[in-house]
Every structure is written in C-alpha cells, then in structure tokens.
C-alpha cells in the first residue's frame, strides 16, 4: 500500500534483491521522465556491487572505500568518478545509559563497571584518543573531512571552531585516569570486553577495528566486536545492548533541527541513550523562534552543550565517491542525494547513446 507523489512510483520490491520504479502517470511536474523503468539493485556487499558495475550490469555504483584509489587511477574508470560532498556524518555512539522508554538509567547501569560509558570523563577519553584524519585515511581511502561537531558544513548552524576534545593522547590518558577512579577500578582492563556493535557486511569492519585498536593501545581497553544483520543491530543498539556502536546520519533536510533533534530525551533516533534537559530546553526554544539568526544562535548553544557532554564521537563529514557510466546523462546532483548521484531528481536522468 505504498503511496508516492513523485515522478516515479513503486512497481515491485523483492526484498534484499531489487526495487523497480516506473513513471507516475499522475506526475504533474514540469519535467517529464524519459526513463521507462529504474531498476535498483540491493546488496549489502560493496565489492559485489563494484564488480557488477565493472561488468556493465549497473549504470551507477557507490565506490567501496577500498577501491577508491584503484578506480581513480584506472584509465577507464577514472573519468567515470563523481565526487560529491554530502550532508552526512559518520559517528560512533557511546551508551549514555538512559532508557529511552522511562528516561531513567537502565537497571544494569546502576554499576558503572557494567556501563562505564555513562561516565563523562570515560567518553571524553575515548574521543581524545582518536586521530580522525588517520581514521579517514585508513578506512575511507582519505575521502572526507574530520568532524568535530554534528551539524554539517552547508547547514545553518555549522560551527567550524567547535572542537572541545581534539586528538591528544596525553589529555586522553588523564581523562581516563579520572574516569577509572570514579568508576572504581585501577585499569581499563578490569572492565572486561566492552560490547562494540555494528552492522556487518557493509564495509564497517575496518573502521570498528581501527577504533578498537586505538583504544586498546591508549588504555588497554578491550572490546568485543559484534557484527550483526542490520535489523538485529538496530534493535540491539536502540535497546542499549552495546557500550559502543556504529552510527551515521544523512540530512533529511538542511536544517539544524534535523541533526540535533536526534539527541532529545527519548527521541526515536536517540541511539546513544542521551538525555540532558538543558539541551532539550534550548531545542524547544529554537523550534519556536521565528527569527532565523536568533534560531541559529539557540541551536549553536544546544550543540555546544551536546558536544561538551561527549555522548558520541563525531568522525567524518562525508565526501562520497561514485562511478557513473558515460551513457548516463541529465543528472541533477545535490548534497542531499541519498544513495546515488541525482536520486533527488530521477525525472531529469536520461540514457544516452552508448
């Protein structure tokens, strides 16, 4: 019973395989689609999609990180590369210990030894221990920019100078010592293996491994890296089953509310179990403020509180690398494109002569 009002409508959906779209006969937009059908291949294996593109079975592909430099250097594939700054962020969450249903700490987190990420200094230490540029170079083929806040460049309210906990191993170790004293253990090793969750099969393994190794080397902190099917991972992350977890966000619309709204108490996308009434109050004020400049000021105040609390570690503002076959034309590319370049305006895409 899916209903859509865009230039294309859903024809078939074979789950985990393919979505087929066809032109909407009731579309009243100024530009009429020339494509008669769009076949959207669904795969969780980036390498499989890349192979299909190189075999001529796909017209566009999101280039896997491990293939970016090879593809750019290739005399045939290189000219087909499209690099697109996007309104999206890679971040990894710390379990802040607040049950989103009750807005009270999880029962298991009454003992900080079980939920050490509830301690602010512990979260700060983990953040200070990560060299974000090295993380991007090693796991995103050097594509993207380090992120130190949540609102992305290009969105009103972006704060380029907001970076409360930069990479600093000396400061990180001091923060960790303070945290361990409050938790009541002599070393991070006494905490056992912290559960570190991610959805497997989507290229996240080397990123999880990079962070885990950085924390092990800095503090002797051990993690249990748990890869799961995406749906299972989402449920477990929301339920607070991990102390550390992979995350990311792409702007639904270019406004600070769409970014910071993730972190209000009990919010549906508040996967880091964070709750700060002072932050929520500023978010409420900002949403009701009609003056755009004053509104941005309130969102900036809210984001400053958020980043000072270190409920997650922001890592990367995305620049995404795609490949597009030379016979695909008419792309209207925007920073809000979701999966492939031009996917906000399918009606302008054309298949040219091969």
């Amino acid at each position: 019973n899916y209903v859509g009002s865009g230039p294309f409508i859903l024809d078939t959906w074979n789950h985990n395989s393919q979505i087929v779209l066809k032109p909407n006969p009731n579309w009243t937009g100024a530009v009429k689609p020339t494509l008669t059908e769009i076949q959207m291949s669904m795969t969780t294996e980036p390498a499989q999609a890349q192979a299909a593109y190189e075999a001529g079975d796909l017209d566009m592909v999101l280039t896997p990180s491990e293939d970016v430099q090879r593809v750019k250097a290739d005399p045939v594939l290189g000219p087909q590369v499209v690099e697109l700054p996007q309104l999206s962020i890679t971040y990894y969450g710390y379990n802040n210990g607040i049950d989103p249903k009750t807005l009270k700490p999880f029962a298991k987190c009454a003992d900080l030894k079980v939920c050490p990420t509830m301690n602010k200094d512990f979260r700060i230490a983990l953040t200070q221990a990560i060299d974000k540029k090295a993380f991007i170079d090693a796991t995103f083929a050097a594509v993207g920019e380090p992120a130190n806040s949540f609102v992305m460049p290009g969105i009103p309210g972006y704060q380029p100078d907001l970076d409360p906990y930069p990479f600093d191993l000396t400061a990180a170790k001091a923060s960790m010592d303070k945290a361990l004293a409050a938790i009541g253990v002599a070393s991070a090793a006494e905490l056992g293996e912290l559960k570190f969750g991610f959805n497997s099969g989507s290229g996240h393994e080397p990123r999880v491994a990079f962070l885990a190794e950085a924390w092990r080397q800095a503090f002797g902190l051990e993690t249990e890296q748990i890869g799961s099917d995406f749906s299972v991972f989402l449920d477990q992350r929301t339920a607070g089953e991990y102390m550390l977890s992979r995350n990311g966000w792409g702007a639904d619309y270019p406004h600070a509310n769409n970014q910071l709204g993730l972190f209000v108490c009990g919010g549906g996308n508040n996967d880091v179990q964070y709750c700060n009434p002072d932050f929520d109050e500023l978010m409420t004020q900002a949403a009701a403020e009609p003056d755009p400049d004053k509104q941005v000021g309130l969102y900036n105040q809210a984001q400053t509180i958020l980043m000072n609390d270190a409920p997650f570690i922001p890592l990367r503002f995305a620049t995404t690398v795609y490949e597009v076959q030379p016979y695909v034309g008419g792309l209207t590319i925007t920073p809000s494109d979701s999966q492939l370049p031009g996917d906000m305006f399918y009606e302008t895409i054309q298949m040219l002569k091969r």
Side-chain angles (χ1 to χ4, degrees):
N1 298 318
Y2 178 84
V3 176
S5 59
F8 285 81
I9 55 178
L10 182 66
D11 181 65
T12 58
W13 181 359
N14 296 318
H15 286 263
N16 299 318
S17 177
Q18 185 183 62
I19 289 175
V20 176
L21 306 179
K22 291 196 174 179
N24 183 353
N26 299 312
W27 171 245
T28 59
V31 179
K32 305 299 181 185
T34 62
L35 300 181
T36 58
E37 183 174 288
I38 298 175
Q39 299 175 3
M40 306 173 72
S41 176
M42 303 172 70
T43 176
T44 60
E45 295 295 339
Q48 180 182 341
Q50 179 64 34
Y53 178 86
E54 293 186 36
D57 296 331
L58 294 177
D59 301 316
M60 304 182 191
V61 72
L62 174 64
T63 309
S65 294
E66 60 270 22
D67 287 324
V68 167
Q69 299 306 326
R70 174 184 68 84
V71 166
K72 284 184 175 182
D74 187 278
V76 175
L77 297 176
Q80 300 173 17
V81 167
V82 175
E83 292 192 59
L84 178 61
Q86 289 197 313
L87 301 179
S88 66
I89 184 173
T90 296
Y91 69 104
Y92 278 58
Y94 307 133
N95 187 335
N96 288 253
I98 302 299
D99 187 333
K101 296 179 181 178
T102 65
L103 299 186
K104 296 179 180 179
F106 289 110
K108 68 179 180 181
C109 292
D111 183 356
L112 280 180
K113 296 182 184 68
V114 178
C115 297
T117 50
M118 282 193 71
N119 180 277
K120 179 178 176 179
D121 289 306
F122 191 89
R123 301 192 302 268
I124 291 172
L126 297 184
T127 301
Q128 292 171 320
I130 299 302
D131 183 338
K132 298 173 185 178
K133 181 64 167 60
F135 170 80
I136 293 169
D137 289 349
T139 68
F140 281 95
V143 177
E145 296 296 328
N148 300 312
S149 58
F150 201 80
V151 176
M152 302 116 185
I155 294 179
Y158 169 58
Q159 294 172 271
D161 298 326
L162 182 59
D163 184 12
Y165 309 116
F167 173 57
D168 185 333
L169 285 177
T170 300
K173 290 174 182 177
S175 298
M176 181 58 74
D177 288 343
K178 184 178 178 181
L180 296 177
I183 293 169
V185 294
S187 70
E190 292 184 35
L191 298 171
E193 293 186 335
L194 300 191
K195 290 186 176 181
F196 192 170
F198 63 98
N199 52 300
S200 56
S202 297
H204 300 304
E205 286 82 354
R207 294 154 199 166
V208 169
F210 182 100
L211 297 174
E213 180 61 16
W215 292 326
R216 188 190 68 79
Q217 289 192 19
F219 313 118
L221 181 70
E222 299 295 339
T223 61
E224 179 188 1
Q225 298 164 42
I226 305 170
S228 306
D229 177 78
F230 193 46
S231 61
V232 173
F233 166 67
L234 291 181
D235 289 342
Q236 292 179 340
R237 183 177 65 185
T238 301
E241 293 191 21
Y242 309 118
M243 288 298 105
L244 312 156
S245 59
R246 185 209 70 81
N247 218 321
W249 185 255
D252 296 304
Y253 49 91
H255 195 284
N257 181 272
N258 181 247
Q259 323 308 309
L260 301 179
L262 272 65
F263 303 104
V264 297
C265 297
N269 289 302
N270 190 340
D271 299 319
V272 297
Q273 299 81 37
Y274 173 74
C275 185
N276 185 326
D278 293 335
F279 171 82
D280 285 10
E281 176 58 28
L282 284 166
M283 291 295 294
T284 299
Q285 291 179 31
E289 175 54 60
D291 184 294
D293 292 334
K294 292 180 180 178
Q295 186 185 90
V296 166
L298 290 166
Y299 281 124
N300 284 171
Q301 292 179 53
Q303 180 168 234
T304 300
I305 288 175
L306 178 72
M307 301 315 300
N308 284 339
D309 281 345
F312 56 86
I313 176 171
L315 290 165
R316 171 184 177 263
F317 292 127
T319 297
T320 306
V321 178
Y322 305 100
E323 294 153 78
V324 179
Q325 298 284 6
Y327 52 79
V328 177
L331 295 179
T332 302
I333 297 175
T334 79
S336 295
D337 289 343
S338 177
Q339 299 296 322
L340 292 166
D343 66 6
M344 294 288 110
F345 296 95
Y346 282 137
E347 68 271 27
T348 71
I349 299 177
Q350 300 173 350
M351 297 297 284
L352 309 177
K353 289 184 179 180
R354 299 196 184 203

